[in-house]
Amino acid sequence: MLGSNTMKPKNNRPKNRLDWQQVLQQYGGVITLLVLFVFNAIFTPHFLSMQTLNINLTQVATIVIVGVGMTLVIATGGIDLSVGSLMAISGALAPIIFMHPALGGSAAANLMAMVFPVLLAGLFGMFNGMLVTRFQIQPIIATLVLFIAGRGIAQVMSGGNLQTFTNPGFTVLGQGKLLGLPIQVYLMVLVVVLAAYLLKSTVFGRQVLSVGGNARAAELAGIPVSKVKLMVYTLSGLLAGLAGLIVIAVNSSSDANQVGQNMELDAIAAVAVGGTLLEGGKATIIGTLIGALIIQLIRYTLLAQGVPDAVALVVKGLIIVGAVALQKERRG
């Protein structure tokens, strides 16, 4: 009897604590998002206005789009530090195309300016993938090449000058609205839906997770590991290129020094906060969407409370550290 009485409290307490841990680990992102929303709804003037909603959605759309590509890369056990520079390259090329005198600002010129820069960014993403697969360079080093050189390429393309333009046929990507919501929000949703389907319901998606979980075992199982990695880096480049077009369309200008600045940090933070394991093998696109919304609302909250934007960079770094620590606790 004495033994049974002493055992009961020991069984109950760890179980209750574990339940709370599971709730926080599983729904921590959603809870954080709701807390930020409620805080701003109470303490931030005009937070619930349509204008504020559009501002936040406009700013978060590019983080989500780039974050989706980053999610796929990280799911294979890699990383892509070049996304910001690829955005700058895409953003530098587009005005060169639609402002070229030979094209005369035609609809065809705008279409070319929306397609060719994205394809070029995809080629650079493929280059990253080749460095990782064919030359067996660690992803952080392989993508560091374009992280540094890519922005220089963009500066050379633009002559180091700010490119301003007035082109409604192109700026619709960043300034157009449909049913009161910015066009880039619909692009963001489309990217999220397609990527979520790709990751959860296709053979390629299962291959991505298998490669990230154990590349050697995946190779022995007949999965083309190198092709899978090459594809995810290419997709990351394509999505970065699309995000670059949206940024310059919003601003009606292209600055190779500013387009995509610190985007790699935002994307990695969104992926980590969203629950994708940074060492690969597990990924969630919807989690990345939630993570990006959290990153954006934290930045908005700090600015609304008069905190300098530079502090947001420190907060983002701390968020990544916290997300990694939480992932380590989950594995434990």
Side-chain angles (χ1 to χ4, degrees):
M1 290 293 295
L2 182 60
S4 61
N5 290 336
T6 57
M7 288 297 293
K8 286 181 181 179
K10 291 183 181 180
N11 287 338
N12 290 335
R13 291 183 60 189
K15 186 180 181 210
N16 292 335
R17 186 167 61 250
L18 180 61
D19 289 343
W20 277 108
Q21 289 177 346
Q22 289 177 342
V23 169
L24 290 176
Q25 289 171 358
Q26 187 169 358
Y27 301 106
V30 176
I31 293 171
T32 302
L33 189 60
L34 289 175
V35 169
L36 287 168
F37 183 87
V38 172
F39 176 88
N40 282 285
I42 297 173
F43 297 105
T44 303
H46 312 297
F47 175 72
L48 298 178
S49 68
M50 197 65 183
Q51 181 181 5
T52 301
L53 174 65
N54 283 341
I55 289 173
N56 281 295
L57 288 177
T58 296
Q59 294 178 349
V60 81
T62 51
I63 300 176
V64 173
I65 290 172
V66 175
V68 166
M70 187 72 74
T71 301
L72 297 176
V73 170
I74 289 178
T76 64
I79 197 77
D80 189 354
L81 299 181
S82 70
V83 289
S85 296
L86 296 187
M87 288 176 63
I89 290 174
S90 177
L93 178 58
I96 295 174
I97 294 175
F98 64 67
M99 291 194 300
H100 195 283
L103 298 175
S106 62
N110 287 333
L111 180 60
M112 292 169 61
M114 294 178 185
V115 174
F116 290 162
V118 175
L119 293 179
L120 179 61
L123 287 175
F124 278 117
M126 184 181 296
F127 171 77
N128 286 333
M130 290 180 65
L131 292 181
V132 172
T133 57
R134 181 168 297 182
F135 297 98
Q136 299 298 308
I137 299 175
Q138 292 183 349
I140 193 170
I141 301 301
T143 58
L144 187 63
V145 173
L146 281 176
F147 170 82
I148 299 171
R151 196 163 296 276
I153 293 172
Q155 291 169 347
V156 170
M157 292 171 63
S158 62
N161 300 318
L162 175 67
Q163 301 179 86
T164 59
F165 50 83
T166 302
N167 185 347
F170 179 84
T171 55
V172 66
L173 282 176
Q175 300 177 18
K177 290 185 179 181
L178 179 63
L179 300 178
L181 292 177
I183 293 296
Q184 62 264 42
V185 173
Y186 294 97
L187 293 174
M188 174 189 73
V189 171
L190 178 63
V191 168
V192 168
V193 170
L194 291 178
Y197 174 79
L198 181 72
L199 195 60
K200 291 184 67 77
S201 303
T202 68
V203 173
F204 176 74
R206 291 190 289 272
Q207 290 176 340
V208 166
L209 298 179
S210 296
V211 169
N214 190 324
R216 179 57 180 164
E219 189 173 18
L220 292 174
I223 295 175
V225 173
S226 294
K227 289 183 178 179
V228 170
K229 290 184 177 181
L230 190 65
M231 181 61 72
V232 296
Y233 281 99
T234 302
L235 289 173
S236 180
L238 290 170
L239 292 174
L242 174 60
L245 296 186
I246 292 173
V247 169
I248 68 168
V250 169
N251 299 321
S252 293
S253 65
S254 176
D255 185 351
N257 296 308
Q258 297 298 324
V259 174
Q261 191 74 31
N262 297 319
M263 180 55 75
E264 57 283 336
L265 178 59
D266 287 340
I268 294 171
V271 173
V273 171
T276 293
L277 295 181
L278 294 182
E279 68 269 25
K282 176 185 176 183
T284 165
I285 300 296
I286 301 301
T288 296
L289 172 62
I290 294 174
L293 290 170
I294 291 173
I295 297 300
Q296 173 58 28
L297 274 184
I298 287 176
R299 179 176 181 272
Y300 178 85
T301 303
L302 292 174
L303 292 176
Q305 302 305 315
V307 179
D309 193 31
V311 177
L313 296 176
V314 178
V315 173
K316 290 172 189 175
L318 293 176
I319 288 173
I320 295 177
V321 172
V324 172
L326 182 59
Q327 289 182 6
K328 184 177 180 180
E329 184 177 342
R330 287 174 181 171
R331 291 193 301 272

